[in-house]
């Protein structure tokens, strides 16, 4: 039916709010509870991207948010549909990604009475989002969505949930007929009371729904550091002999500011380690950027600036920073700024903007910092030489370091890397050099496996002209394989490289050493490429080192023709990451 020919319904109100927010893609797995939203979104030119697992919808929305700086949007059906998103929601929350999840729900008059897929969804979702909106009237649908977008971006970004019951989404005449059929035509007092109640309930649902909603887009103010914190930080830097900057994902939450942030970091002249979404901020070969021996550098630095990351397990709960150093923490979250280690200067503000303000206030970097930077660069070069030597070692199959060095050499200069795995992906973080800002996506602090397919889907749709690579561990790829069906159907030409060492190697390394048992850590040399081919993608198998370069070249060629590709690479075991278990 033509959109103009059918009666207006609540799905139109939702779609109009999405359109007002500039949403280009709506990620979904279909369900009768949300069908009107999908139909109305399509009618308004919003691309509806359907996948095979509800978690994928949120992962894809998360990636879109990270790369665009605007909330990504997912819509899933009631009950199990919502339940299946919980891991992805928690991942977005801990990664501080602005995501709007729209969930269906049972009819308002039947909730709590055993309706299909009816559960109390608020307790399930509430711990993992900034707010739950439970909409009770059709006229409140669009305002709730507009508030959700603003809240997702405000302060510390994060996911927001909007519950839309099915009887708010279909047109009024149809819903009234449903209720009339449910009430029946009995003449008893109970029957008449039920009809009266349902008629009154329907009137409340649709009261005022004909009036056009106000679709004013709210852009939350960016939190800026106070003058006192900025002055104290500048004073500490001017005194410093060995300053160090560690930049995390929150520093690049304003995607549009990434280039300005890179320029500011360069002007500061402080040696810098980049982590999470900040990886690649300075390009591949910037002289200030350090990649190795971060723990040692933190212990030697006399002034440490943590911008957009907390002292969690990744910094050994603050113990990597020596007690005598001046610690400056810039973070939108007061809790994160003080987590495990109280800073000498706390700038509760956007970390990226704080770095820009510091660069403007500091002026030229003191000449005495050059020797410190050179010391760290020398260490980096020595570690690179060690990695090169380890990559040259031959084995029965493919050395993972050699594979990743070849991938780093051949990937396009605009390539985006998506990391989904344990040992193989952690190894990649030492070898691969993201080409520019916002060119690396990993799950973040939650360490979630299974993000790869959704992240790649969102990344390719956000940046359709760029080359997108998924780095899959063979354990992690089990979650994403089914989405090759989605890639093929949607024309999403990503390249996946599976590091296939037939095991959950990151766990096995320490488990076998500590317990003498490899139980539940052993996988097979599974033919993942054949599974991808079964979905209509291209599948390539690499068993030996001499096959790597031709396979990567072929994968790029196929992807450039619009075909998704999976390259299944049999890896040798290595000792590169011994002692790497995190707690």
């Amino acid at each position: 039916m033509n959109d103009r020919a059918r009666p207006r319904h609540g799905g139109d109100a939702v779609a109009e709010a999405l359109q007002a927010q500039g949403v280009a893609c709506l990620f979904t797995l279909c369900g009768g509870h949300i069908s009107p939203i999908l139909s109305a979104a399509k009618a308004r030119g919003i691309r509806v991207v359907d996948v095979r697992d509800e978690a994928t919808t949120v992962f894809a929305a998360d990636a879109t948010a990270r790369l665009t700086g605007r909330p990504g949007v997912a819509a899933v059906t009631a009950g199990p549909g919502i339940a299946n998103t919980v891991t992805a929601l928690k991942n977005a929350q801990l990664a501080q990604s602005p995501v709007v999840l729209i969930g269906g729900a049972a009819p308002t008059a039947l909730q709590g009475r055993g309706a299909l897929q009816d559960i109390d969804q608020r307790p399930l979702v509430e711990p993992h989002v900034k707010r739950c909106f439970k909409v009770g009237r059709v006229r409140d649908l669009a305002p709730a969505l507009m508030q959700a977008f603003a809240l997702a971006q405000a302060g510390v970004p994060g996911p927001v949930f909007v519950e839309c019951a099915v009887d708010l989404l279909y047109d009024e005449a149809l819903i009234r007929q449903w209720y009339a059929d449910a009430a029946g035509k009995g003449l008893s007092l109970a029957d008449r009371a039920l009809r009266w109640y349902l008629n009154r309930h329907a009137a409340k649902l649709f009261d005022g729904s004909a009036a056009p909603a106000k679709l004013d887009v709210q852009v939350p103010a960016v939190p800026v550091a106070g003058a006192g914190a900025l002055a104290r930080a500048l004073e500490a830097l001017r005194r410093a002999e060995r300053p160090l900057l560690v930049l995390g994902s929150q520093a690049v939450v304003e995607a549009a500011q990434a280039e300005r942030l890179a320029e500011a970091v360069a002007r500061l002249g402080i040696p810098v380690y980049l982590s999470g979404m900040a990886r690649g901020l300075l390009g591949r070969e910037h002289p200030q950027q350090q990649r190795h021996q971060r723990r040692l550098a933190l212990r030697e630095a006399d002034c440490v600036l943590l911008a957009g990351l907390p002292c969690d397990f990744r910094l050994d709960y603050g113990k990597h920073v020596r007690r005598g150093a001046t610690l400056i923490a810039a973070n939108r979250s007061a809790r994160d700024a003080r987590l495990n280690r109280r800073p000498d200067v706390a700038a509760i503000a956007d970390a990226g903007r704080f770095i820009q303000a510091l660069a403007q206030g500091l002026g030229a970097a003191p000449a005495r910092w050059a020797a410190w930077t050179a010391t760290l660069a020398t260490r980096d070069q020595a570690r690179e030489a060690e990695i090169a030597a380890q990559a040259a070692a031959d084995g029965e199959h493919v050395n993972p370091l050699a594979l990743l060095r070849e991938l780093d050499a051949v990937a396009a200069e605009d390539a985006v890397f998506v990391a989904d795995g344990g040992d193989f992906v952690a190894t990649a973080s030492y070898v691969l050099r993201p080409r520019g800002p916002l060119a690396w996506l990993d799950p973040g602090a939650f360490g979630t496996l299974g993000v790869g397919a959704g992240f790649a889907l969102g990344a390719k749709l956000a940046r359709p002209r760029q080359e997108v690579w998924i780095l899959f561990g063979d354990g992690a790829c089990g979650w994403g394989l089914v989405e090759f069906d989605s890639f093929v159907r949607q024309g999403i030409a990503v390249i996946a490289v599976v590091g296939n060492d037939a095991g959950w190697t990151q766990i096995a390394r320490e488990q076998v050493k500590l317990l003498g048992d490899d139980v539940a850590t052993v996988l097979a040399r599974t033919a993942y490429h054949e599974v991808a081919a079964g979905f209509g993608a291209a599948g390539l198998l690499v068993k030996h080192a001499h096959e790597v370069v031709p396979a990567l070249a072929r994968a790029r060629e196929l992807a450039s023709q619009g075909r998704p590709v999976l390259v299944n690479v049999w890896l040798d075991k290595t000792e590169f990451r011994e002692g790497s278990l995190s707690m």
Side-chain angles (χ1 to χ4, degrees):
M1 180 186 292
N2 184 283
D3 187 53
R4 295 181 180 179
R6 63 163 174 76
R8 179 178 172 80
H9 55 56
D12 292 310
V14 173
E16 285 165 2
L18 300 182
Q19 188 177 42
Q21 293 287 350
V23 173
C25 296
L26 175 62
F27 300 100
T28 193
L29 197 160
C30 68
H33 291 89
I34 59 168
S35 292
I37 296 174
L38 308 183
S39 176
K42 177 185 174 185
R44 284 161 179 79
I46 297 171
R47 181 170 180 177
V48 177
V49 182
D50 61 295
V51 299
R52 300 296 297 272
D53 183 343
E54 284 93 355
T56 300
T57 69
V58 176
F59 287 136
D62 183 342
T64 299
R66 298 188 196 196
L67 294 180
T68 66
R70 295 282 296 159
V73 188
V76 300
T77 199
I82 299 295
N84 286 342
T85 68
V86 167
T87 297
L89 276 178
K90 177 57 74 174
N91 193 79
Q93 182 192 52
L94 294 181
Q96 300 177 346
S97 292
V99 169
V100 174
L101 174 63
I102 303 170
T108 54
L110 296 178
Q111 291 180 9
R113 299 182 60 196
L116 175 67
Q117 297 183 332
D118 179 31
I119 59 171
D120 185 358
Q121 296 175 160
R122 181 184 294 273
L124 183 68
V125 174
E126 196 165 39
H128 318 299
V129 297
K130 295 181 75 172
R131 182 176 170 185
C132 289
F133 289 86
K134 186 178 176 74
V135 182
R137 298 180 299 186
V138 174
R139 73 183 189 190
D140 295 331
L141 287 167
L145 262 296
M146 303 304 282
Q147 290 180 60
F149 272 82
L151 182 58
Q153 301 170 84
V156 180
V160 179
F161 175 60
V162 182
E163 180 182 286
C164 306
V166 65
D167 51 347
L168 302 180
L169 297 178
Y170 285 88
D171 69 85
E172 182 174 1
L174 180 60
I175 296 302
R176 285 186 177 276
Q177 185 60 54
W178 284 357
Y179 280 152
D181 292 344
K185 298 180 180 179
L187 300 178
S188 70
L189 180 61
D191 291 332
R192 291 198 299 271
L194 178 59
R195 282 196 295 274
W196 174 86
Y197 167 76
L198 291 177
N199 283 332
R200 184 170 177 268
H201 184 78
K204 288 182 177 180
L205 290 183
F206 292 97
D207 181 43
S209 62
K214 292 183 179 181
L215 300 176
D216 297 328
V217 177
Q218 304 172 45
V219 180
V222 177
V224 178
L230 182 61
R232 292 193 298 275
L234 285 169
E235 182 184 357
L237 288 175
R238 290 182 179 121
R239 292 196 312 264
E241 299 290 332
R242 299 180 304 282
L244 196 67
L245 171 60
V246 184
L247 214 61
S249 294
Q250 198 198 81
V252 293
V253 72
E254 285 192 287
Q257 292 285 322
E259 294 290 351
R260 291 184 184 180
L261 175 59
E263 292 169 3
V265 171
R267 289 201 309 274
L268 274 176
I270 302 172
V272 58
Y273 286 90
L274 303 174
S275 66
M277 285 294 296
R279 285 170 55 87
L281 182 72
L282 300 180
R284 300 175 75 175
E285 303 293 345
H286 198 281
Q288 279 171 246
Q289 182 178 344
Q290 314 301 319
R291 291 186 170 84
H292 308 296
Q293 308 285 358
R294 185 176 74 177
R295 179 181 301 186
L296 181 58
L298 284 166
R299 288 175 175 169
E300 293 178 345
D302 61 0
C303 181
V304 175
L305 172 53
L306 300 182
L309 76 166
C311 286
D312 59 13
F313 71 94
R314 293 167 292 186
L315 293 175
D316 197 19
Y317 308 98
K319 288 184 284 186
H320 285 178
V321 181
R322 68 185 179 92
R323 288 294 172 185
T326 300
L327 178 61
I328 305 167
N331 204 294
R332 290 186 178 217
S333 165
R335 178 186 180 275
D336 284 358
R338 298 178 173 90
L339 185 66
N340 297 312
R341 179 77 179 266
R342 183 168 291 276
D344 299 283
V345 180
I348 310 306
D350 179 76
R353 295 292 182 106
F354 184 69
I355 295 298
Q356 293 179 53
L358 283 177
Q360 185 174 0
L362 185 66
R368 65 182 183 275
W369 292 355
W372 164 238
T373 303
T375 297
L376 298 179
T378 299
R379 286 182 195 159
D380 248 36
Q381 292 164 7
R383 181 60 174 143
E384 289 289 342
E386 291 175 358
I387 292 172
Q390 289 175 287
D394 291 326
E396 181 181 0
H397 297 298
V398 177
N399 183 319
L401 291 166
L403 166 65
L404 291 162
R405 285 167 65 88
E406 292 291 355
L407 175 54
D408 188 58
V410 305
E413 281 306 307
D414 64 355
V416 176
F417 297 111
V418 173
D420 187 11
D423 195 73
F424 178 59
V425 164
T427 301
S429 70
Y430 287 87
V431 178
L432 283 181
R433 298 170 185 244
R435 278 70 168 123
L438 304 173
W440 172 275
L441 291 97
D442 62 30
F446 203 30
T448 310
L449 295 184
V451 303
F455 276 14
L457 182 64
K460 189 65 176 176
L461 288 168
R463 298 184 174 182
R465 294 181 179 84
Q466 293 181 228
E467 198 172 82
V468 175
W469 295 78
I470 313 173
L471 308 173
F472 273 135
D474 53 346
C477 82
W479 279 280
L481 269 175
V482 70
E483 298 301 355
F484 272 84
D485 170 76
S486 304
F487 294 149
V488 170
R489 288 186 297 101
Q490 306 282 348
I492 307 296
V494 302
I495 307 170
V497 176
V498 179
N500 188 347
D501 60 3
W504 297 93
T505 303
Q506 181 152 307
I507 306 304
R509 283 186 189 281
E510 301 304 313
Q511 180 176 308
V512 173
K513 185 187 302 180
L514 297 175
L515 302 176
D517 196 338
D518 65 0
V519 59
T521 67
V522 179
L523 298 172
R525 297 280 191 183
T526 301
Y528 302 108
H529 59 294
E530 293 182 6
V531 178
F535 285 121
L540 306 176
L541 176 63
V542 173
K543 290 186 177 181
H544 304 289
H546 70 273
E547 300 168 337
V548 169
V549 172
L552 295 179
R554 178 60 176 157
R556 294 188 67 209
E557 179 185 6
L558 289 166
S560 71
Q561 297 167 4
R563 194 171 180 192
V565 188
L566 185 146
V567 186
N568 183 15
V569 185
W570 285 22
L571 298 182
D572 289 320
K573 303 286 187 181
T574 74
E575 296 181 356
F576 180 69
R577 297 190 64 254
E578 286 295 326
S580 60
L581 188 66
S582 294
M583 290 292 179

